[in-house]
Amino acid sequence: MTQYWIQPKTALVYDDELSQYQLSPEHPLRPIRLQHMHELMRASGLLSVENVFSPAPRTASKREIETSHDHDYVSIVEAISNGGIAPGMGEFGLGTSDNPIRSGIYETTALCVGSTLTASELVTSGKADVAFAPAGGVHHHAMPRRAAGFGIFNDAVIAMKAMVAAGLRVAYIDIDCHHGDGVQMGHYDSDQVLTISIHESGQWLFPGTGYVQEIGVGDGTGYSANIPLAPYTQDDQWHAAFDEVVPPLVRAFKPDVLFTQLGIDTHFQDPLTHLSLTTQGFNLAVKKLGTLAADIGKWVAVGGGGYDLSAVARSWTMALASMANFELPDDVPAEFTSLSNMTTFADMPPTPIEQRYLDEIQSHNTQTLNDIRSLIFPKFGI
Ligand SMILES: [Zn+2]
């Protein structure tokens, strides 16, 4: 195992345009979260560090989107974008409370996908060692012909298909609280992409999938790994599961690129979910992913879910600092005034939970790990 890069060329692929749209007035996904994050990164001095640069995202072309989505679905999204209601949109998952319709939806989603493609291209071309596109990743539930769970066009699938077409093997690690079902589906029959998703079990949370038994099909058998965890899992237990599965599988797969989805809806204050991670627990995961990435030499990172504005701003600022190997101060800088009640990057530890609940969580998660050991590890000779 090598050490982390000393001064990795680190790209933050972001433009304020990515934080300007709103899906609907009451929608829990508030893209303004990215503007708060960006302000915090700036106030922390992170954007003026020598090895951090901020290239603008490009827009994804229709041809690129259609590598992973059916033409008639893409056309419906385009029609909605230009004029509101389109006949038959319901069968494509559009016009729901999760995926409301609005003008400009095609263009803003294509820019979001483009931000992930820009990050991928910077890394695969060697212009960056690590590139972070925080607007990406939130589309991880989008299916080839269906919008789902706030996702329209699956940027991660589109970007990784392009990498595979270029002859690269990719390990995809999804640490969002929800199962990365759309990304799993996009590569389910492929042995060129290893997908690992660690999430709150579908027994309790949308999308209701992501069980250990979903291991891939055909050539892809064994290349889809799921780590479903019990609600209220805290930092220590989450990391015990991560350590048991993620590093050994990634090292055995020997990818050319590490691609990580860094959803922060695992946070204990997140309003939609039930895992109980802190920002420091999240950042420790980013550091562990960074250690794996340094061995591989190429790291693409995208954002994901995250519905508590303070947790998003702090966690993704901490993530970019970890990527760039930059030491943040403990305290949130006084210049940052976009959000109130933020004093430190790290959280106070959450209230301890009763031993009997801890035992239940432990028992559920131990079963998950035992199942992964018997179903997936033998494929990799572990
Ligand atoms: Zn999520």
Side-chain angles (χ1 to χ4, degrees), residues 152-185:
I152 305 288
F153 299 142
N154 203 314
D155 57 297
V157 173
I158 295 166
M160 288 194 287
K161 276 193 192 291
M163 286 192 248
V164 169
L168 299 169
R169 298 168 77 249
V170 189
Y172 172 82
I173 318 298
D174 185 322
I175 66 168
D176 194 278
C177 202
H178 300 88
H179 173 223
D181 57 343
V183 181
Q184 173 177 292
M185 176 67 81

Side-chain angles (χ1 to χ4, degrees), residues 140-141 176-178 265 273 304-307:
H140 70 155
H141 300 301
D176 194 278
C177 202
H178 300 88
D265 44 5
T273 61
Y307 308 99

Side-chain angles (χ1 to χ4, degrees), residues 90 206 233 247 249 262 319 366:
F206 178 89
T233 292
L249 278 185
L262 304 178
T366 300

Side-chain angles (χ1 to χ4, degrees), residues 33-111:
R33 67 194 183 139
L34 298 176
Q35 198 174 312
H36 297 313
M37 169 209 77
H38 198 241
E39 277 307 308
L40 184 55
M41 288 172 173
R42 188 194 313 281
S44 306
L46 196 42
L47 301 183
S48 38
V49 174
E50 195 189 342
N51 60 317
V52 174
F53 63 112
S54 303
R58 69 173 178 87
T59 288
S61 69
K62 194 168 182 183
R63 185 186 55 75
E64 287 170 322
I65 293 168
E66 290 187 357
T67 60
S68 308
H69 294 279
D70 293 355
H71 175 74
D72 50 351
Y73 170 63
V74 176
S75 299
I76 284 267
V77 176
E78 216 173 6
I80 285 169
S81 201
N82 292 329
I85 295 169
M89 65 181 188
E91 68 184 88
F92 295 99
L94 293 157
T96 62
S97 58
D98 272 6
N99 290 97
I101 56 169
R102 59 178 173 80
S103 66
I105 192 170
Y106 179 90
E107 289 74 16
T108 48
T109 311
L111 181 61

Side-chain angles (χ1 to χ4, degrees), residues 12 33-34 37 40-41 46 132-136 138 176 261-265 279 282 286 302-306 310-323 328:
L12 173 72
R33 67 194 183 139
L34 298 176
M37 169 209 77
L40 184 55
M41 288 172 173
L46 196 42
F132 182 27
V138 77
D176 194 278
Q261 196 271 20
L262 304 178
I264 177 57
D265 44 5
T279 55
F282 167 85
V286 174
V302 292
S310 163
V312 172
R314 288 180 295 137
S315 298
W316 289 350
T317 297
M318 292 162 89
L320 183 67
S322 295
M323 290 169 195
L328 282 176

